[in-house]
Amino acid sequence: KNSLGNSEWLLPNPAEGAGPQAYFFQLFALDLPLTLMPAATRQELRKAIDGHVLSVALLSASYEHQDLDDEDWSEDGLD
């Protein structure tokens, strides 16, 4: 769940002038598919993956608020 309690991805949206904000992501490789419903709690997730984690990847990144126009999101800069 995201910070609003919903089961969806929210883009980073730090407050203007707040400076760089840290973001942390965990990716788990499991030996079976998850069968949890989208509203599952963290406790339910941990119970479901217990004993099934093959590997873990951690990613940390920072992002700072930027005022961008729609024109700044062209595919030309996505090489």
Side-chain angles (χ1 to χ4, degrees):
K1 294 184 180 182
N2 62 32
S3 60
L4 299 176
N6 298 321
S7 299
E8 60 188 59
W9 165 253
L10 295 175
L11 293 173
N13 191 19
E16 188 173 348
Q21 303 294 301
Y23 294 88
F24 300 93
F25 302 89
Q26 294 178 333
L27 177 67
F28 297 90
L30 306 174
D31 63 358
L32 76 167
L34 283 178
T35 58
L36 296 172
M37 297 301 292
T41 65
R42 179 183 292 220
Q43 183 179 8
E44 292 170 327
L45 173 63
R46 291 181 70 149
K47 183 178 178 182
I49 68 174
D50 187 38
H52 298 285
V53 176
L54 301 175
S55 186
V56 177
L58 301 174
L59 171 66
S60 64
S62 64
Y63 177 75
E64 185 172 0
H65 177 85
Q66 298 177 11
D67 287 323
L68 298 175
D69 295 329
D70 289 339
E71 297 166 3
D72 294 334
W73 287 94
S74 70
E75 291 185 22
D76 295 338
L78 298 178
D79 293 337

